[in-house]
Amino acid sequence: MAQRFSRRGVLLAAGGTALAGAAGALIGPSRADAAYSNVGTYGTTVNGDQADVYHPSTSSPHQPWPVVLLLQGANVGRSAYAGFARKVASYGFVVLVPDHTRVIFGVPGLYADGAEATWTVAWAAAENARTGSPLKGQIDAGALLLTGHSFGGAAGLGLTTGLSTPPFTDVPIPAPAQLRAAAFYGTNNAAPGSPVIPPVANTVPVALIQGAVDGIGTPANGLGTYAVLQGAPKLYVSVAGANHYGITDAQNPAGARPDLSPQTLNQAAGVENIARWAALWLRAQLGDPVGAAWVYGIGDAVDAGVETQFVR
């Protein structure tokens, strides 16, 4: 069954009763907040790449945590995503943020590669079994989720179709069978220098989170890409006042292409909200009812900073 929002709080299709019933438990963003207040971090390597790991810190019994791979934007170092990764991890995920260097069109730099998904699956299985790992026995190595920013999100879009192709990987590589869902920021499938947005034949659920004042990955291209996502569920979230670097700890990270469109949203607040939407979307796709209630309507109704559309 498809459900859509065209503006905040107005449900246009059937199914609103169950969501309305959940409203008492989800009064505002703070009531859909993270389960874990403490998040730990440590360094690792993934196929030779330096990476940071963020994970809940708790001594309480819990189910193994799924892994979320963050695919970085072009020439945005992994440290720029610390706030976002920490917040996503607080919802019950192991978040892996690698730095991957390669050459594209003769230019070396930090460019995400679709092959990182396969490498991450291998890392998760090894880390879960490694003596001395802070996460030994605590990783769900059978589930992989994706987040990504800009170029990294575009690389992830290819993976959601089952196959990553150049320039988003050095050689074509299939997506791992463990891939369950994805949430990308500042991402679209628009052809450079062209009004054409090729369709995306995604086979896993995809959320596109878009800064409403993004001057690099424009809202028009983001919304156009949402329209051509062929698989469902899918979600589009427009974040008021956020530009292309609404997801990073600071505006215009060193080495990355600057966004000349000024952001009016508080940086830290924006990162937290973008991470909340990404995390609750991913939790919803794993069967979490709180995540589902949030992303399929309640969140739009109570979060004044966003407007959403979805197909369920």
Side-chain angles (χ1 to χ4, degrees):
M1 177 177 65
Q3 298 175 327
R4 297 175 183 269
F5 277 73
S6 65
R7 60 187 184 275
R8 188 173 301 109
V10 182
L11 187 60
L12 299 183
T17 303
L19 291 175
L26 295 175
I27 298 172
S30 64
R31 298 299 297 273
D33 216 337
Y36 301 97
S37 57
N38 295 320
V39 172
T41 184
Y42 66 96
T44 189
T45 58
V46 181
N47 197 54
D49 291 337
Q50 295 297 311
D52 295 328
V53 182
Y54 299 82
H55 62 91
S57 294
T58 178
S59 58
S60 302
H62 59 83
Q63 296 295 317
W65 291 306
V67 175
V68 177
L69 168 64
L70 194 159
L71 295 165
Q72 66 200 131
N75 288 317
V76 182
R78 69 185 189 275
S79 64
Y81 299 106
F84 175 83
R86 187 177 297 275
K87 185 66 176 181
V88 171
S90 72
Y91 283 85
F93 297 106
V94 173
V95 181
L96 186 67
V97 191
D99 269 341
H100 184 65
T101 302
R102 62 192 181 102
V103 177
I104 295 184
F105 306 127
V107 180
L110 292 170
Y111 299 112
D113 189 318
E116 291 178 65
T118 299
W119 303 338
T120 296
V121 168
W123 173 88
E127 190 69 6
N128 199 43
R130 180 175 68 86
T131 299
S133 168
L135 295 172
K136 184 177 182 182
Q138 300 181 60
I139 298 175
D140 179 359
L144 175 68
L145 303 147
L146 296 179
T147 60
H149 174 214
S150 193
F151 183 93
L157 273 179
L159 287 166
T160 70
T161 71
L163 183 68
S164 181
T165 57
F168 301 112
T169 185
D170 291 334
V171 296
I173 186 170
Q178 292 84 353
L179 182 59
R180 297 287 182 267
F184 305 124
Y185 182 80
T187 294
N188 61 70
N189 199 45
S194 167
V196 175
I197 303 179
V200 179
N202 58 301
T203 59
V204 299
V206 171
L208 297 178
I209 306 174
Q210 174 71 49
V213 294
D214 192 327
I216 296 177
T218 65
N221 284 340
L223 190 57
T225 299
Y226 170 78
V228 299
L229 289 172
Q230 297 182 343
K234 64 179 182 176
L235 171 72
Y236 183 80
V237 181
S238 176
V239 182
N243 70 5
H244 197 63
Y245 296 105
I247 192 176
T248 54
D249 288 350
Q251 281 289 298
N252 299 327
R257 174 186 173 188
D259 188 350
L260 301 182
S261 176
Q263 174 160 298
T264 58
L265 178 65
N266 174 272
Q267 193 73 27
V271 168
E272 181 168 326
N273 205 26
I274 291 162
R276 177 185 293 113
W277 277 93
L280 288 172
W281 167 259
L282 296 175
R283 292 209 60 85
Q285 307 319 309
L286 295 177
D288 175 39
V290 172
W294 181 263
V295 301
Y296 296 131
I298 299 301
D300 182 277
V302 301
D303 184 350
V306 307
E307 293 188 0
T308 72
Q309 300 180 38
F310 66 84
V311 176
R312 189 175 184 181

